[in-house]
Amino acid sequence: MAVVTFWLFAGTVGTVAPKILENVNTGGHTFISLQQMNLAVSITALFSGMFIVVMGRTADRMGRVRVTLVGLVLGIIGSALVMLASGAAALWLMLVGRAIQGLSAACIMPASMALVKTYWDGKGRQRAVSMWSIGSWGGSGLAAIFGGIVASNIGWQWIFGTSIAVSVVSFFMILGTPESKVEQREKSAFDVLGLVLFLVSVLALMIVLIFGKQLGWVSPMTLGLSAIAIVGLTVFVLWEKRQAAPFVDFALFRNTTFTGATISNFILNATIGLLIVSQQMLQKARTPGAPDYVSAFQAGLLTIGYAVAIIAFIRVGEKLLQRFGPRKPMMWGSIIVALTCVLLIPTWVLLSQYKILAAVAYTLFGLGLAFYATPSTDAALSNLPADQAGAGAGIYKMASSLGGAIGAAVSLAIFTGFLGQGSILGETVHFEGVQGNIDLRQAGMFVMVFNLLLCLGAMLSIALTVPKGGGSRDLNKVAVAPTPAPQLPPDDAKAAILSRLSALSLADLEAVEKAALLNQLGKADPKVLQQLVATMRE
């Protein structure tokens, strides 16, 4: 239920954005512009992505149950602010509330995933991951239809009122759960500079993506922010690799399976833009009052297949994982999402025909994500060391959140960028039916092509990083010589090293221990070493 508070309720804003603008901008006043609403759509996932690793590490140290409960309280506060968004204060209430919802997700996602890894193993963990995925992916599947029904019948504010109620129930259900945290052997300073570099770079990038058209794509402001994003991210990576306790531990990416799961997770989450844009395109294809106008409720109804497929087939993804290992179902899921994009590209057909294509495409979208979700999540969790479960899960879910935020922002930027541009394709494509919305349909087509390219990128990352095999069909063994080479999960690798060391004599073990201590001394501060030597001489 804690996971649902973000994916089901906070995730509805992209779908009901036109309804929110219509309700807030009353009396001839524009309190929230279209570009500002696009920022409100993306800012939740953005804040989630920026702070999720921090909260994952915090959960490891302070307690995963405690951080989950803090996340629920933040979710209640954020939802209340969004509900109150109206009048002159609408913009700031909306943006601050959505940002706090992102912080809430940053607490809940990694902490709850780490609890799954801590309390379950093997098939039990895979089943728990499936249940967790139903809350996240399933919640996102129901978001469009739930948001459409509530916004069209009783008002969009009640979406967040329901979120508050569910958060309260979830809080008391979790309260009293045995705490889980990592015993800290040594204290390390928090990587403040790494966090600042990351925040500044990602914020600069998001401002360019969302407000680039309004600022001018080649204006000094846009070019300056682009330079800040590029240079900042470059310096961030170089800085993190030199830190003993980095904000993002790039050492985790030495395991190619974790790398493949995280990269493909980022890319496939970015395809959420196809759902947001296609829903907005359907609602804007006709003016309100027209005979074939598609309301938020009607557009949401088309996503029923998406919701049903993702919830019904999550467990199928789990069975595919157990039989084939993670690589094949992750690849199959990506291919099916690519087919979704193909079905949504022909915006030149009549609106009645496109609604049929959209209904089928949304169902395939849900099916593809259902096949992908559990294998990818389990591949990431099973390749994390136990003492970095929260931090590693934070990196994985950061990929989800930033993928969704950046993917939605880019898709919306492409969509709004081509609105009002007239016919760019000329006679290349013949648009049937109403001719007054060609720019809208053309913009939607370009967005779907972009998302198709994302799917191809996800397939490539899986093919290059995730080893073959690993399921019951392969006797739970990865291929002898796959590309890439298989790697043991960190905990298994540690156990293998300890097994080899157990065969050594006591004298050899003492020599190994001495070498390890000398290695640690070599990393110590020179002043500390000088004091140690002086003490020994005394």
Side-chain angles (χ1 to χ4, degrees):
M1 290 181 73
V3 174
V4 165
T5 59
F6 173 68
W7 293 103
L8 176 55
F9 303 113
T12 60
V13 174
T15 301
V16 301
K19 199 73 176 178
I20 294 176
L21 289 174
E22 179 185 333
N23 179 261
V24 171
N25 296 330
T26 56
H29 298 286
T30 302
F31 297 113
I32 301 178
S33 69
L34 177 59
Q35 287 78 15
Q36 291 166 340
M37 193 67 228
N38 287 343
L39 176 60
V41 170
S42 302
I43 198 171
T44 301
L46 175 62
F47 267 69
S48 171
M50 289 192 300
F51 290 99
I52 202 166
V53 177
V54 176
M55 300 317 300
R57 289 190 180 280
T58 303
D60 284 340
R61 296 183 180 187
M62 296 183 59
R64 291 144 183 171
V65 174
R66 184 178 302 169
V67 170
T68 301
L69 293 175
V70 169
L72 287 169
V73 172
L74 288 173
I76 292 171
I77 296 171
S79 294
L81 291 176
V82 173
M83 283 186 70
L84 295 172
S86 62
L91 176 60
W92 295 109
L93 286 171
M94 177 67 70
L95 292 179
V96 173
R98 293 285 291 165
I100 294 176
Q101 285 181 325
L103 291 175
S104 168
C107 294
I108 293 171
M109 298 297 125
S112 58
M113 281 187 71
L115 287 172
V116 167
K117 177 176 174 61
T118 301
Y119 290 128
W120 286 276
D121 199 8
K123 289 188 176 180
R125 184 188 63 239
Q126 292 168 355
R127 181 168 298 176
V129 168
S130 290
M131 296 298 102
W132 190 96
S133 297
I134 287 175
S136 58
W137 296 92
S140 67
L142 289 170
I145 183 171
F146 173 79
I149 291 173
V150 175
S152 298
N153 291 281
I154 60 176
W156 63 269
Q157 292 90 343
W158 286 102
I159 295 171
F160 303 99
T162 309
S163 178
I164 292 172
V166 173
S167 296
V168 171
V169 173
S170 179
F171 183 93
F172 286 105
M173 289 179 67
I174 295 174
L175 195 65
T177 300
E179 189 56 273
S180 165
K181 60 181 178 180
V182 177
E183 294 296 330
Q184 295 295 314
R185 297 180 181 177
E186 57 182 27
K187 293 185 178 180
S188 55
F190 180 72
D191 182 16
V192 176
L193 180 57
L195 174 61
V196 171
L197 285 170
F198 184 76
L199 294 181
V200 171
S201 303
V202 174
L203 280 173
L205 175 63
M206 293 300 292
I207 292 172
V208 169
L209 292 175
I210 294 172
F211 295 102
K213 181 182 179 181
Q214 185 176 341
L215 296 172
W217 292 110
V218 293
S219 68
M221 175 69 75
T222 303
L223 294 176
L225 288 171
S226 300
I228 290 173
I230 295 170
V231 174
L233 290 174
T234 302
V235 173
F236 168 73
V237 172
L238 296 175
W239 171 261
E240 293 299 281
K241 289 183 176 180
R242 297 173 55 189
Q243 303 308 301
F247 167 57
V248 174
D249 190 355
F250 285 98
L252 292 173
F253 290 97
R254 293 172 185 168
N255 186 289
T256 58
T257 305
F258 178 79
T259 300
T262 303
I263 293 176
S264 60
N265 182 43
F266 174 90
I267 297 174
L268 277 193
N269 270 275
T271 62
I272 193 64
L274 70 86
L275 181 63
I276 294 173
V277 169
S278 61
Q279 285 278 297
Q280 291 194 17
M281 184 170 59
L282 286 167
Q283 295 176 56
K284 293 179 178 180
R286 299 289 187 275
T287 56
D292 48 356
Y293 169 69
V294 179
S295 66
F297 170 66
Q298 292 169 329
L301 282 179
L302 295 175
T303 67
I304 287 179
Y306 170 49
V308 171
I310 201 168
I311 294 173
F313 286 93
I314 280 282
R315 294 297 306 276
V316 175
E318 174 193 336
K319 299 302 180 184
L320 291 174
L321 165 66
Q322 293 170 357
R323 180 166 175 77
F324 298 102
R327 179 185 171 105
K328 287 186 177 179
M330 288 171 68
M331 185 67 76
W332 294 337
S334 301
I335 293 172
I336 295 172
V337 174
L339 291 176
T340 299
C341 301
V342 171
L343 286 178
L344 290 174
I345 286 175
T347 57
W348 55 80
V349 300
L350 295 173
L351 179 60
S352 58
Q353 297 171 336
Y354 193 78
K355 286 193 289 186
I356 297 173
L357 288 175
V360 175
Y362 293 154
T363 302
L364 287 176
F365 191 39
L367 180 64
L369 295 179
F371 278 15
Y372 174 87
T374 299
S376 174
T377 306
D378 186 74
L381 288 179
S382 63
N383 282 275
L384 288 173
D387 59 351
Q388 290 183 285
I395 292 174
Y396 180 79
K397 291 312 296 179
M398 177 179 71
S400 300
S401 298
L402 286 183
I406 294 175
V410 174
S411 290
L412 286 168
I414 295 171
F415 184 59
T416 56
F418 283 102
L419 290 178
Q421 297 297 316
S423 179
I424 296 175
L425 299 174
E427 299 298 323
T428 307
V429 177
H430 173 66
F431 288 89
E432 300 181 15
V434 175
Q435 298 297 298
N437 59 7
I438 289 180
D439 62 329
L440 177 82
R441 297 155 76 182
Q442 187 174 248
M445 183 197 307
F446 293 149
V447 169
M448 302 313 155
V449 171
F450 165 72
N451 280 273
L452 177 59
L453 295 176
L454 289 179
C455 294
L456 296 177
M459 287 183 266
L460 181 62
S461 70
I462 294 167
L464 293 177
T465 58
V466 181
K468 299 176 183 178
S472 62
R473 186 179 179 184
D474 310 293
L475 301 179
N476 296 316
K477 302 293 183 182
V478 292
V480 176
T483 300
Q487 292 174 281
L488 285 173
D491 293 335
D492 292 345
K494 183 178 179 180
I497 293 173
L498 290 174
S499 177
R500 293 195 297 270
L501 288 175
S502 66
L504 299 177
S505 65
L506 177 60
D508 289 339
L509 287 173
E510 289 175 341
V512 170
E513 182 183 26
K514 184 177 180 181
L517 290 172
L518 289 173
N519 185 51
Q520 289 296 319
L521 283 173
K523 298 178 181 178
D525 186 272
K527 293 183 179 179
V528 175
L529 290 176
Q530 290 173 3
Q531 293 174 359
L532 180 61
V533 171
T535 303
M536 291 176 64
R537 287 175 177 174
E538 293 175 357

